[in-house]
Amino acid sequence: MNTPHAFRAFRIHNDGAGYRGGIETLSADALSPGEVLVQVAYSSINYKDALAGTGKGKILRQYPLNGGIDAAGRVIASTDPAFKEGDAVLCTGSGLSETRDGGYGEYVRLPSAWAIPLPKGLSLRESMIIGTAGFTAALALLRMQDNRQTPALGPIAVTGATGGVGMLAIDIFTRAGYAVHAISGKAAHFDFLRDIGAAECIDRHQLGFSGKPMDSARFGGALDNVGGAMLAGLLPVIAPYGNVAICGNAGGIGFESTVMPFIIRGVSVLGIASAGTARDIRDRVWQHLATDWKPQHLERIATREVTLDQLPEVFGRMLGGESFGRTLVRISDAT
């Protein structure tokens, strides 16, 4: 396939005219450098994308750039012999929409070190329903299990359970043999959460944390998307040698705790920073996601599919707390 002369992308600027993002027509020469040129089939919308697209968060480190921290599509040209025309590839994080052009364009150029061959068992569409959200949940599980988390320790609490990471975590952890207790303030969605695997649903307003430095163990571990008071409340109720993986701060960046859960029960706090994950770990995570940890309810978790033109509307709803599940972005027909 020939290199495109012009294509559409959602491009973000921050200059004398102010912070803005919108659809533009670009040439391939305008793209960030890399060995692999990809026609993008799908991307997705993460909270980070909404922050970047609106300027509500300092995500981009240089301008202008195409938005989108996720991309999946087909190789149309490569200077690295490891990739050939027609290969299906994906990329999440790795500087997309931070230091280099991201997946909100009909084409993206990737460094070959960060282009992941689509694992057998996943379609391009499925890979982007998973995207950064599912990768983050699976990375948390990998790190927890590397630190000796097992189903025998007890149920896993998943906070922010109606968001993309939360829903995919319910599905992924359940697939891996864990009982998942979903915590959310959106009780109207509890039947849905049970349908995708939650063994129990807990209204966050009725958690009843005591505030004591230590309390009776309630969970074997947790994946926390919230931070703040939620994280402070979870730590005293984690079973001995359980892990709390932290991947979000919807409830605040600070929290108060004591050393007691750590020195009495051996509880571990694991930071989950998916964007900069090393390549060998990425490969391990994606292999799990294509096989034994593959979520069983992807089409239900993908609650909406949109085009590039609809991005601003979705950004606004997401930042307003109205998002539910995963939003897939259909970029082209390169499937």
Side-chain angles (χ1 to χ4, degrees), residues 179-255:
V180 176
H181 289 191
I183 299 174
S184 172
K186 300 178 180 179
H189 296 309
F190 281 0
D191 285 345
F192 181 94
L193 298 182
R194 293 186 186 97
D195 286 346
I196 63 171
E200 185 174 328
C201 294
I202 305 168
D203 190 326
R204 66 178 172 85
H205 302 294
Q206 299 176 9
L207 274 170
F209 290 141
S210 68
K212 298 176 182 178
M214 294 279 284
D215 210 337
S216 299
R218 184 172 179 179
F219 305 114
L223 173 58
D224 181 35
N225 291 282
V226 178
M230 178 66 75
L231 176 57
L234 283 171
L235 290 170
V237 297
I238 300 298
Y241 298 100
N243 297 278
V244 178
I246 307 172
C247 63
N249 62 350
I253 61 173
F255 71 98

Side-chain angles (χ1 to χ4, degrees), residues 6-277:
F7 64 92
R8 301 174 78 239
F10 183 90
R11 197 156 180 84
I12 301 168
H13 297 260
N14 188 14
D15 53 27
Y19 196 105
R20 63 202 185 280
I23 303 299
E24 298 181 20
T25 299
L26 303 175
S27 70
D29 292 340
L31 288 171
S32 303
E35 296 81 20
V36 185
L37 182 63
V38 177
Q39 184 179 9
V40 181
Y42 294 100
S43 184
S44 67
I45 302 180
N46 304 278
Y47 194 76
K48 195 172 182 178
D49 294 313
L51 292 173
T54 60
K56 301 296 185 182
K58 295 183 179 179
I59 305 300
L60 275 65
R61 301 179 198 172
Q62 64 186 63
Y63 301 88
L65 288 177
N66 298 342
I69 64 173
D70 294 341
R74 297 275 177 185
V75 174
I76 65 165
S78 175
T79 59
D80 185 327
F83 296 91
K84 64 182 185 301
E85 184 177 329
D87 284 351
V89 296
L90 65 90
C91 185
T92 60
S94 309
L96 296 186
S97 191
E98 290 186 7
T99 58
R100 58 182 305 109
D101 289 308
Y104 291 163
E106 293 171 332
Y107 295 87
V108 67
R109 189 176 280 118
L110 302 172
S112 57
W114 300 114
I116 306 289
L118 183 72
K120 184 178 180 180
L122 283 180
S123 68
L124 289 171
R125 177 186 170 84
E126 289 173 331
S127 77
M128 288 294 96
I129 297 174
I130 294 170
T132 286
F135 178 84
T136 300
L139 176 61
L141 177 54
L142 185 75
R143 293 207 61 206
M144 291 169 77
Q145 291 197 158
D146 282 350
N147 204 39
R148 303 177 67 83
Q149 189 78 42
T150 67
L153 289 180
I156 300 296
V158 173
T159 67
T162 57
V165 175
M167 284 187 184
L168 285 161
I170 291 168
D171 210 337
I172 290 166
F173 277 71
T174 300
R175 279 276 282 152
Y178 293 82
V180 176
H181 289 191
I183 299 174
S184 172
K186 300 178 180 179
H189 296 309
F190 281 0
D191 285 345
F192 181 94
L193 298 182
R194 293 186 186 97
D195 286 346
I196 63 171
E200 185 174 328
C201 294
I202 305 168
D203 190 326
R204 66 178 172 85
H205 302 294
Q206 299 176 9
L207 274 170
F209 290 141
S210 68
K212 298 176 182 178
M214 294 279 284
D215 210 337
S216 299
R218 184 172 179 179
F219 305 114
L223 173 58
D224 181 35
N225 291 282
V226 178
M230 178 66 75
L231 176 57
L234 283 171
L235 290 170
V237 297
I238 300 298
Y241 298 100
N243 297 278
V244 178
I246 307 172
C247 63
N249 62 350
I253 61 173
F255 71 98
E256 294 185 8
S257 186
T258 72
V259 300
M260 302 301 283
F262 312 117
I263 66 173
I264 301 299
R265 288 191 179 147
V267 171
S268 295
V269 173
L270 305 177
I272 308 302
S274 63
T277 305

